[in-house]
Amino acid sequence: MKQQITRRDFMATTAAGLGSFLVLETLQSCDGGGKKEEIWKTPPDLHAAYPIEFTEETKYTSCWIGKQDCGMTARVLTQTIGDREVKRIVKFEGNPDNPRNNGTLCPKGFAQLQGIYDYNRVKTPLKRTNAKGEAGAFVQISWDEALNTVADKLKAAKSASSYVLWQKGRSKSEPLYDGAFINAMKEAGYKNYKIGHGAYCSDSGYRAAEYTIGYHGVYHPDFKNTKYLLSWGWNLTSAGGNKFCFITWPQEFVKARANGMKVVALDPFRRGTGPHADEWIPNKPGTDLAFFLGLQHYLVTNGHLDKDYLKTYTNAPYLVKDDGTVAKVTTTASDGTQTSKELVWDTKTSAAVAYDTAGIDPVLDGSYTVDGATVKPALERMKDHLTGKGYTPAWADSTCDIPSGTVERVARELASNANIGGTTTIDGITLPLRPSAMMAYHVTQQELGMPAGRAAIMVFMLLGAVGVPGGTQIDIGATALHENYKKLDEAGIKDGPYNWDLSGSKFFPIKTTNPSFLANIWLNPSKYGVNEATLPKVAIFHMNNGAVSFADSKTIREAWKRIEFVVDINPWLSDTASLFADVILPAATIEKYEGPGSGKALYEKADSLRMPPIPALWESRGEMEIYIDIADRAGFLTGDKGLVAQLNKELSLSGNKMDVSSKPTVRDMFDRWAKDKLGKADGIAYLEQHGNTGRKAISAKDAYPAAQSYAGAKHRLYGESLLKYQTTMKGKGVEAIYYQDYTAFPTWRAPTMYSSPGTYDLHLISYKKIEHKQSRSSFVPLLAELAPKQGLVINSATAKAKGIAEGDAVTVTSHNAVTGETRSIRTAARLVESIRPDTVALSHHYGITTHPNAKDQGPTPNELFFTSEGYVQCTMDASFQVKVGVSKA
C-alpha cells in the first residue's frame, strides 16, 4: 500500500518512529577518539513542504530485548530516498496468535525500538588500541580483518593446546550457539569451556529439582487447578514465571484469583505482591530453609502424607541403615551380571525385599532388622531428622523472625488444600488432584539455596502435590527426565590437579559453573589445585557484560585483565567490551534470523522463529552468521563433525539436511528446519506469513509428569549420594565450608553472613525490575523513564533511626565475614514500609558506564557481593545476600 504524508503528519507519529528515521538519515561512524565522520554526506531535505511517499507492510518476528521471545508484528515502512531504499520499523505490536503473550507486549517489547535504532550501537567491527583494563580506545576495521584476527587467535590457541573460554550472557538459540558451535570446536580439537549465566539466575533451584525429582526448571503453580499458592520470593505482579513472560503469567494469575486461589507471600520485601496476596510473611533473609523444615516437621509428625505417591514414586520406603547408607540386595543373572537394588519392608511378607518386587506393600515407618543391621524407611529417618534437630514450626517461626504460629498455620492450610486422595479427569486421564502449589525462581540464589530448594520440593512431595493437577510444577511438558537426574546422583570426585572449571573436583561435586568463583580461582589457582595450563588464554564473550552484571564485579575485572585475547559479540560497547575486548563484532538486534523459538505458555504451545523485519543496520550481523564465518575461517565449518553437521544434529534435520561440505546461509538453514521439523512444505515462508505454527493445546499427558508415571523416576526424598559426597570430600581433606551442605536431608545452619560484626546491621538483598532486562535496557529512554535510577530500598523506621531522609545520598558498605574485606558504593535512599526493618534492597540492571544514557543511573549491587567461600553455594551458584552497614553520605 503506497501512501503520502506531509511533514506535519509525520511529526504526529510516534517519537520512536521519528527518532529512527532521523538516525537512519544521519549515520555516522566513530573512532576511539570520539571523532565522527559522516557516512551519508548529504541526507535528504526534510522540509515540511516535501511530501514523504512510502509503502507499508507487516512483518512477523519475536521480541529480542526480553527473555521470553514473545511473538510480535513489526510495522515496516519502505521509502525511496534519492537512489536508496530505506526500510524502517515504526511500531511493534503483540502477535495475538502467540500463546506466550496473547497479542500484548510489556514495556520492553514496545521500547526496544529505541534500542534497535540506538545511535550508540557498535556499527562496524572495532579493534583495541590501548591496554586492557582501561576504558577502551578502538579503531574501525573491516569484517575480513576482524574475522581473520579471531580465527588466527583461535587456531593459535589450538596449536598451543591452550583453552578457549566461551562465555554467554542471555543469548538466544541455545542449541545452536551453546550446542552446535561449541561441539564443533571440540570435535575439531579445541579445548574450551562453555559457561552460561545460570550461576546468577536460578540454577541452584534447577539443580535441586533435577536431583530431587528429575525435571529441569524451578517451581510454578498449575493456575487452572491451584487453590493455595505459596509465593516464595516471587515478584508477584511485576515478574514473569519459570520460562514464561510477564504478560501471560499475570493473566493466568488473575483468573486463578477469580477462581478462589489464596496467595501467601514469603519474602523480606513485598515488592509487586502489594494487595494481590492474602498474607505477607516477611521472613529474615537467609532463613528460607528453616521455614520449609518447619513445614516438613508439621506434615510428617501429623500424618499429612500422600502415602500412595510416597510408596510408588519416591524412595521414602527405602530402608536406611544407621550409617546413612541404603540397604540393598545383590542378585546375579545367568550371564553373571550383578544387579544391586534397594530394599523395602513388605507388610504382606514381613520381610525385606527389592523395591520393585511385584505385588508388595512397602511400609513408610517403623524400625526393622536386616542382616543384623537396624534399618528404617527413609520417611522414618526423615521424621527422626526433623524431630531430633528440633525443626518444629515454633523453631522455624523464631529462626525466620515471623509471628508465632505462622509456620504451623501455613502447613495446616497447605495440607487442607492439598485434598490428599482426591482425583480429577483431564483429557480422559484420571490424575491426583492436589490444589496446593508454590511459585519460586531467583530466590534460590542465596547461600543455602540448594538445600532450601530441595526442602521446598520435599514439602510438596509429602503432600503428593508435584507434577499433578493443582500442584507444584517444574516445567511445562517436562515428561522426560533431565540428564542431570542420573548425573547428579553419580557425580565422580577426582583427585587433583583440576581444570580451571573444577569439573569433578572435591570442592563442588554438583556445580553450576560460576564465572565469579572461577575469577577467584584465576587469581589463586594453587589454592584449588588447578593446573595453571588450563586457564583460558582466549575468550569469546557473547552478549555478556560480566564487568557489571555478574556478582563480585571487582574480582571479575581483576581476573579478566589476564585473558590474552578477547572477542566480544554485542550490539553495544558494553563495559566488558570497553575494558577487555581486543576485537568487537557488531551483532544485530532484532534484524536477524534466530531460533528456534517457542510460543509455549502454561496451557498452549506454538513453534516460532525470530525473523528480521528489516535488513541488519549498519554493518551488524546476526550471531549465527558470525559463528558460521568464524568456523569457516578457523577450519571447523565443514566435514562430518563440523559446524554444519552439528547444526543438522541440533535442529534434528533428516530429510532436509544441509550439505556438510558447503557454507550455508542462516535463512536457508531455518527454511530446512521449518520444512523438516515443522512439516511445513513452504518452509520459512510459512512462518514469515503467519508468525508461528499456530496455537495448540497442551494435553494432560504432556502437561503433568504424573500422567506418564514420572518417566519411571524414583523421586529422592532421601539423598544418599549427597551424604556419600560429603564423606568423600572429608576424606580428601577439604574444609567444612565446602561439604557442610551435602547432607542426606536438608540441614539448617546459620548463613555465613550472620557472622559479620554488629556494625553491619542490615541484610542486603537484590531484586529485578520488570522494566529492565539484565544490563541491556536501562539506557533505552522509554524504559529509563519508568525506572530511571538506582536507589537503596530501606524501611522508613530504619532510615529515621539513622538520620536518613527520602532521596538522601547514602553509603552502603558490605562485609565479608570470612576474609574481613569491605566494599562500598554510594546511592540514594528510597524509603518504604514494605520491607523488613533489618533488610535493604538494591536492583540489578544499573551500573553501565559506557552508554551516555546510563552514566548517571547509579551503581550495580554486584560491586557489594562476594562469591568467595561462604558466599558461594555448595553448587558453586552465586549468593545475592550479604550484611551491610548504611550511613548518610
Side-chain angles (χ1 to χ4, degrees):
M1 176 178 69
K2 181 170 281 193
Q3 300 184 37
Q4 285 191 335
I5 60 173
T6 65
R7 172 68 172 168
R8 185 173 184 178
D9 295 329
F10 181 69
M11 291 294 290
T13 61
T14 66
L18 174 61
S20 63
F21 180 84
L22 294 178
V23 167
L24 277 171
E25 303 317 316
T26 57
L27 290 180
Q28 295 175 323
S29 62
C30 179
D31 64 17
K35 180 182 177 182
K36 295 180 178 179
E37 174 190 0
E38 295 284 351
I39 293 177
W40 291 349
K41 300 292 186 181
T42 55
D45 190 347
L46 292 179
H47 190 275
Y50 284 67
I52 302 177
E53 197 174 65
F54 66 92
T55 59
E56 180 178 344
E57 58 188 327
T58 297
K59 295 281 191 177
Y60 287 101
T61 187
S62 59
C63 179
W64 174 83
I65 201 168
K67 171 186 176 183
Q68 307 296 357
D69 295 347
C70 292
M72 301 196 309
T73 60
R75 181 184 168 200
V76 178
L77 306 187
T78 302
Q79 296 164 289
T80 300
I81 302 176
D83 59 352
R84 292 175 291 106
E85 182 180 83
V86 175
K87 291 183 179 289
R88 58 189 175 91
I89 309 168
V90 294
K91 188 179 182 182
F92 287 122
E93 294 179 333
N95 179 0
D97 293 325
N98 191 297
R100 181 155 287 183
N101 56 307
N102 290 320
T104 55
L105 291 177
C106 76
K108 293 190 290 289
F110 287 110
Q112 68 184 300
L113 188 59
Q114 291 183 316
I116 293 167
Y117 286 112
D118 181 6
Y119 183 74
N120 295 281
R121 277 179 56 174
V122 177
K123 301 178 181 67
T124 68
L126 301 175
K127 181 173 70 174
R128 175 177 293 276
T129 61
N130 65 334
K132 289 184 191 294
E134 302 175 4
F138 298 91
V139 294
Q140 296 180 16
I141 57 175
S142 69
W143 269 103
D144 275 341
E145 181 180 350
L147 291 168
N148 286 336
T149 300
V150 173
D152 288 346
K153 292 294 184 180
L154 288 176
K155 288 187 285 188
K158 178 183 175 182
S159 297
S161 292
S162 59
Y163 283 77
V164 176
L165 166 64
W166 184 80
Q167 169 69 66
K168 181 183 73 170
R170 169 63 74 177
S171 70
K172 313 292 183 174
S173 285
E174 184 173 337
L176 307 189
Y177 305 150
D178 306 40
F181 181 74
I182 296 303
N183 291 337
M185 286 188 71
K186 289 180 178 178
E187 291 290 351
Y190 286 87
K191 295 180 177 179
N192 58 16
Y193 299 106
K194 177 188 72 175
I195 301 175
H197 75 288
Y200 313 115
C201 182
S202 52
D203 271 38
S204 56
Y206 278 68
R207 300 297 89 81
E210 291 159 359
Y211 179 82
T212 306
I213 57 176
Y215 297 104
H216 179 72
V218 196
Y219 326 117
H220 61 84
D222 172 24
F223 278 121
K224 279 188 177 179
N225 300 290
T226 297
K227 293 299 181 183
Y228 189 95
L229 175 62
L230 179 61
S231 173
W232 175 28
W234 177 38
N235 198 358
L236 199 64
T237 58
S238 297
N242 174 22
K243 303 184 180 179
F244 297 99
C245 82
F246 165 62
I247 296 167
T248 309
W249 216 250
Q251 290 173 350
E252 296 291 349
F253 171 74
V254 168
K255 287 188 283 187
R257 287 288 277 167
N259 196 34
M261 181 182 73
K262 180 176 180 177
V263 179
V264 174
L266 177 70
D267 196 327
F269 180 19
R270 193 167 63 197
R271 299 184 291 167
T273 299
H276 303 286
D278 297 279
E279 181 180 1
W280 173 39
I281 303 174
N283 64 307
K284 182 180 177 180
T287 63
D288 309 80
L289 172 57
F291 185 87
F292 291 110
L293 290 172
L295 296 180
Q296 288 181 17
H297 187 284
Y298 180 86
L299 297 177
V300 169
T301 56
N302 288 278
H304 296 294
L305 306 169
D306 187 336
K307 294 182 180 180
D308 288 340
Y309 161 77
L310 291 169
K311 290 179 180 182
T312 307
Y313 296 114
T314 80
N315 65 3
Y318 288 5
L319 299 176
V320 181
K321 302 176 186 178
D322 289 341
D323 64 0
T325 61
V326 174
K328 297 180 176 68
V329 60
T330 301
T331 59
T332 304
S334 57
D335 62 357
T337 303
Q338 290 190 327
T339 303
S340 181
K341 292 184 178 180
E342 294 82 358
L343 291 173
V344 299
W345 192 267
D346 177 32
T347 58
K348 294 180 179 179
T349 59
S350 295
V353 298
Y355 75 90
D356 59 352
T357 303
I360 62 172
D361 181 20
V363 301
L364 293 172
D365 54 10
S367 178
Y368 309 90
T369 302
V370 174
D371 294 333
T374 299
V375 295
K376 295 181 181 181
L379 183 64
E380 185 75 8
R381 293 289 186 186
M382 181 181 185
K383 183 177 180 180
D384 291 346
H385 173 72
L386 294 168
T387 57
K389 294 285 189 181
Y391 295 152
T392 64
W395 165 84
D397 290 333
S398 175
T399 304
C400 296
D401 191 26
I402 54 181
S404 176
T406 299
V407 172
E408 180 174 332
R409 177 174 47 78
V410 171
R412 239 184 2 254
E413 292 171 351
L414 283 168
S416 174
N417 283 276
N419 187 39
I420 295 172
T423 62
T424 187
T425 300
I426 305 175
D427 296 338
I429 303 174
T430 299
L431 293 165
L433 177 64
R434 302 286 180 271
S436 286
M438 173 177 63
M439 173 67 207
Y441 202 42
H442 294 100
V443 68
T444 55
Q445 296 309 113
Q446 53 180 282
E447 188 189 358
L448 296 173
M450 165 69 161
R454 283 186 66 213
I457 295 173
M458 289 164 67
V459 167
F460 293 90
M461 289 173 65
L462 294 172
L463 298 170
V466 174
V468 297
T472 296
Q473 310 300 315
I474 301 301
D475 195 7
I476 300 301
T479 52
L481 294 177
H482 192 269
E483 61 181 359
N484 279 347
Y485 172 73
K486 183 176 181 180
K487 285 183 177 179
L488 299 183
D489 196 47
E490 300 176 352
I493 302 178
K494 308 171 187 174
D495 291 318
Y498 301 115
N499 280 9
W500 171 64
D501 66 348
L502 290 186
S503 293
S505 77
K506 61 186 179 182
F507 300 100
F508 300 99
I510 294 176
K511 73 177 180 69
T512 300
T513 306
N514 182 340
S516 295
F517 193 81
L518 297 188
N520 282 289
I521 297 172
W522 216 317
L523 301 178
N524 191 4
S526 62
K527 177 179 177 179
Y528 303 97
V530 167
N531 179 357
E532 292 195 34
T534 68
L535 299 176
K537 292 182 170 57
V538 174
I540 301 172
F541 288 154
H542 181 163
M543 280 302 296
N544 160 21
N545 194 13
V548 170
S549 62
F550 289 176
D552 205 345
S553 303
K554 176 184 176 182
T555 305
I556 284 280
R557 290 192 296 267
E558 285 300 311
W560 284 3
K561 282 192 292 188
R562 303 187 180 198
I563 308 175
E564 293 179 7
F565 179 82
V566 173
V567 55
D568 190 88
I569 302 172
N570 210 316
W572 290 280
L573 179 68
S574 66
D575 288 71
T576 298
S578 175
L579 292 171
F580 309 114
D582 295 280
V583 170
I584 303 175
L585 303 180
T589 58
I590 204 168
E591 66 275 30
K592 62 193 172 193
Y593 290 99
E594 192 172 44
S598 172
K600 185 187 291 184
L602 276 170
Y603 305 107
E604 292 182 297
K605 61 183 178 180
D607 292 301
S608 65
L609 190 69
R610 178 171 297 104
M611 296 168 286
I614 58 173
L617 293 173
W618 296 289
E619 292 185 32
S620 67
R621 297 182 182 180
E623 287 95 325
M624 196 66 250
E625 182 181 357
I626 292 172
Y627 285 132
I628 287 172
D629 283 336
I630 290 174
D632 187 24
R633 297 181 190 228
F636 57 93
L637 176 66
T638 57
D640 292 340
K641 296 182 180 180
L643 177 57
V644 180
Q646 299 296 333
L647 290 168
N648 281 335
K649 178 181 177 181
E650 293 292 340
L651 291 170
S652 300
L653 300 183
S654 55
N656 287 283
K657 284 185 178 180
M658 293 178 284
D659 181 357
V660 299
S661 65
S662 61
K663 182 178 181 180
T665 66
V666 179
R667 187 182 187 280
D668 177 65
M669 176 180 72
F670 285 120
D671 185 50
R672 293 170 182 270
W673 167 77
K675 289 176 179 175
D676 199 334
K677 188 71 166 54
L678 302 182
K680 300 297 182 184
D682 46 356
I684 199 171
Y686 180 91
L687 295 177
E688 289 171 335
Q689 293 169 12
H690 298 89
N692 57 49
T693 54
R695 309 168 77 109
K696 295 180 182 178
I698 298 175
S699 68
K701 184 178 179 182
D702 291 334
Y704 303 110
Q708 295 191 14
S709 298
Y710 300 103
K714 285 289 184 183
H715 296 168
R716 297 182 182 115
L717 195 75
Y718 184 72
E720 179 186 20
S721 53
L722 298 180
L723 184 61
K724 288 182 177 179
Y725 299 157
Q726 185 186 89
T727 300
T728 302
M729 295 163 78
K730 287 181 178 178
K732 292 185 180 295
V734 301
E735 298 173 40
I737 204 165
Y738 299 105
Y739 65 69
Q740 59 191 344
D741 296 322
Y742 282 91
T743 54
F745 293 118
T747 302
W748 168 257
R749 65 174 175 83
T752 300
M753 65 177 174
Y754 289 4
S755 300
S756 287
T759 51
Y760 301 94
D761 57 339
L762 299 172
H763 304 90
L764 171 66
I765 62 175
S766 65
Y767 68 104
K768 297 179 180 177
K769 295 183 176 183
I770 195 63
E771 295 88 349
H772 292 309
K773 179 60 185 171
Q774 294 172 309
S775 59
R776 66 166 68 177
S777 67
S778 70
F779 51 80
V780 175
L782 287 177
L783 298 177
E785 285 184 19
L786 298 175
K789 289 182 181 293
Q790 180 66 276
L792 182 76
V793 179
I794 185 170
N795 185 278
S796 299
T798 303
K800 182 178 179 180
K802 293 178 177 290
I804 296 170
E806 174 69 26
D808 278 353
V810 293
T811 299
V812 186
T813 303
S814 64
H815 177 266
N816 187 315
V818 176
T819 66
E821 181 185 358
T822 62
R823 297 175 181 176
S824 296
I825 63 168
R826 179 169 169 160
T827 186
R830 177 186 161 210
L831 277 55
V832 301
E833 306 298 326
S834 56
I835 195 168
R836 282 179 57 99
D838 63 356
T839 303
V840 292
L842 286 167
S843 170
H844 287 284
H845 316 300
Y846 302 109
I848 298 171
T849 65
T850 53
H851 197 291
N853 294 350
K855 285 187 175 179
D856 298 323
Q857 291 181 330
T860 171
N862 290 318
E863 296 289 348
L864 298 174
F865 294 124
F866 304 97
T867 47
S868 53
E869 285 74 9
Y871 294 87
V872 67
Q873 301 182 36
C874 65
T875 53
M876 205 198 276
D877 288 278
S879 169
F880 291 100
Q881 296 182 351
V882 68
K883 292 297 289 293
V884 298
V886 175
S887 59
K888 188 172 180 179

